Amino acid sequence: MKAHRHFVRTQIRTHFFQKEKKSYPFLHIALASMLQIPAETVTELPVLSMTGRHRLRVENYTSVLTYEVERIVLLCPGISLIILGKHLKIARLDRDEILIEGYIENIAYR
C-alpha cells in the first residue's frame, strides 16, 4: 500500500510538471487503491504483457492506427503505443485485446 501511494504521488508530480497537460484519472486511481483492486480495471489504462521479445499482448486498446511489417501503432485511452520491430504481425485481434508477434525491438508511447 505504501509503495502504491508513492507511485500515485510520483504520477501526480509528473503530471503537473509536463509541458503538455494530459487528462490523468487521479480520482479513479485513488479509488482503486482504497478498494485494493488493480487500477487498470477502473481507469481503462492499457495493460501490456510481453513474453520474451517475440510476443506482446495489449489489453484495453481502442484501435490500430498503423500496421506495417516493422511498425504497429495502437491507439489506447489517453496514449498511443508505438511498437517497432521486424516481421511484426497481428496474431489475434479481439474487441479489447490484441496479440502481436514478431521480433519486438522497441515499445514507446506518446
Side-chain angles (χ1 to χ4, degrees), residues 39-56:
E40 61 272 5
T41 59
V42 177
T43 59
E44 296 181 354
L45 293 172
V47 178
L48 282 67
S49 303
M50 194 163 179
T51 306
R53 295 187 76 113
H54 299 284
R55 182 174 287 163
L56 173 68

